[in-house]
Amino acid sequence: MHRKFFHLVIGLIYLSGIYYEPRFTWLCGYLWLCIFVCFEVLRYFQVPPWSTGLDSLFLIFKDKQDGKVLMTPMYLLFGVFCPLFLDPLTQPRTFQMRHLAGILTVVVGDSMAAIGGYLYGQQKWPGRNKTYVGSMFMAASVFLCSTALAPLCAQPIPSLAYRAACSIVLTFIEAYIENFDNVLLPLVGYVMLL
């Protein structure tokens, strides 16, 4: 729950930021990524007096893909902000659908897949720990969210059919990768929505 709440908060900050002040949002995303790296270095090397407080703050975000180094919060932050890092905006309200790739895949899709799979999923993909129902939740939520956010995007806006195809492709990728999904999915989504 803590990780999914973190997804939501980062997504809302990013979305409101690129709508109102994209250059400041780019700077904040970059600075917070640097701050997270510094925090993780202090936490990992148990630097007093920071290590105890940082352990209690960051270990709730630990995921199965993390080892001793806690990369999940940094992957999430980078995944959400990477479309803006790759394609900086200079004016408010000029973002395109590709700038929302992190929101669509990580904040909405990945979160809904986890929630749907946890609540309703029983049958898993062959050799994977992810469920068919979770994947259906992801595909539907990515498509519906892209449709809901389309009126906010600058032209050209990808067609409904193309957005549906992107949702399905991203869902299959999410179902078959174990690690780095918070980085890989936004990158693939960004490229597909160019």
Side-chain angles (χ1 to χ4, degrees):
M1 288 304 293
H2 289 99
R3 285 195 338 265
K4 298 311 171 193
F5 181 73
F6 187 56
H7 283 220
L8 177 65
V9 169
I10 295 296
L12 291 174
I13 290 169
Y14 176 80
L15 190 57
S16 62
I18 64 167
Y19 189 77
Y20 290 109
E21 190 51 59
R23 287 182 288 187
F24 184 67
T25 304
W26 178 91
L27 177 64
C28 289
Y30 179 75
L31 290 175
W32 272 109
L33 194 57
C34 293
I35 289 168
F36 272 43
V37 169
C38 292
F39 281 168
E40 182 55 22
V41 168
L42 292 172
R43 189 199 68 78
Y44 179 78
F45 288 109
Q46 297 293 301
V47 176
W50 306 99
S51 61
T52 306
L54 291 173
D55 271 347
S56 64
L57 275 173
F58 282 89
L59 287 179
I60 59 174
F61 297 111
K62 189 169 184 168
D63 193 2
K64 63 182 181 285
Q65 66 188 358
D66 288 318
K68 290 183 178 182
V69 177
L70 204 61
M71 297 299 291
T72 299
M74 289 177 273
Y75 288 159
L76 171 66
L77 196 60
F78 178 78
V80 171
F81 281 84
C82 76
L84 190 59
F85 294 156
L86 293 171
D87 187 10
L89 297 167
T90 57
Q91 297 297 319
R93 298 177 195 86
T94 59
F95 60 90
Q96 295 185 316
M97 186 70 67
R98 68 179 176 264
H99 291 105
L100 301 177
I103 297 286
L104 296 173
T105 57
V106 177
V107 174
V108 175
D110 187 51
S111 296
M112 292 307 294
I115 293 168
Y118 177 76
L119 293 176
Y120 305 109
Q122 293 179 8
Q123 288 193 323
K124 296 184 178 185
W125 287 92
R128 300 286 173 227
N129 197 29
K130 300 181 181 179
T131 66
Y132 291 121
V133 171
S135 294
M136 289 189 300
F137 267 71
M138 178 172 178
S141 65
V142 169
F143 174 73
L144 292 173
C145 186
S146 70
T147 302
L149 293 174
L152 300 176
C153 296
Q155 297 292 334
I157 298 171
S159 69
L160 281 172
Y162 188 77
R163 291 196 313 261
C166 288
S167 301
I168 292 168
V169 168
L170 291 166
T171 298
F172 278 113
I173 293 170
E174 195 271 340
Y176 277 94
I177 60 172
E178 292 295 325
N179 297 324
F180 310 114
D181 57 340
N182 287 349
V183 173
L184 185 61
L185 288 173
L187 287 172
V188 171
Y190 175 81
V191 169
M192 290 178 73
L193 294 168
L194 276 176

